[in-house]
Amino acid sequence: QVQLVESGGGLVQAGGSLRLSCAASGSSSRMNAMAWHRQSPGKQRELVALIDRGGAITYADSVLGRFTISRDNAKNTVTLQMNSLKPEDTAVYYCNAILFDLRHYWGQGTQVTVSS
């Protein structure tokens, strides 16, 4: 079992920045990748950014150049720095941990709202 606790969501104006954090506990040594996904009303959940244990990173095209994912393996945390936010970034953001055996765990989600 892995427990994930997110923090850092909120309301920001377009062009502003927010930083999301996710702390993992439990079987965190079994974690391979950590990721952030988001879901807005009426849309499917989508991958925003992913970082594996070795530091390889994948970003959604829509956030490339604006968002930065980072990870501290020693502290079992993953952060998402979001800059130049747009109204279309408004969503609930979920932290996701993927174990080496491909099991997925999810945080409870944190709301990000970007006003125009």
Side-chain angles (χ1 to χ4, degrees), residues 1 30 56:
Q1 290 283 344
R30 300 180 181 180

Side-chain angles (χ1 to χ4, degrees), residues 83-98:
N83 298 327
S84 302
L85 282 160
K86 304 175 181 179
E88 51 263 44
D89 295 317
T90 295
V92 177
Y93 284 69
Y94 296 91
C95 181
N96 169 224
I98 306 165

Side-chain angles (χ1 to χ4, degrees), residues 6 9-10 20 36-41 43-46 48 80 82 88-95 106-113:
E6 301 127 333
L20 304 182
W36 288 94
H37 297 248
R38 66 186 181 188
Q39 187 169 20
S40 52
K43 294 187 177 181
Q44 287 189 329
R45 190 173 296 188
E46 62 175 355
V48 176
L80 185 69
M82 304 185 293
E88 51 263 44
D89 295 317
T90 295
V92 177
Y93 284 69
Y94 296 91
C95 181
W106 295 90
Q108 79 283 0
T110 185
Q111 177 70 46
V112 171
T113 303

Side-chain angles (χ1 to χ4, degrees), residues 64-78:
L64 197 61
R66 300 188 297 121
F67 291 11
T68 301
I69 190 171
S70 60
R71 176 175 178 173
D72 186 329
N73 289 332
K75 296 181 179 180
N76 293 318
T77 58
V78 62

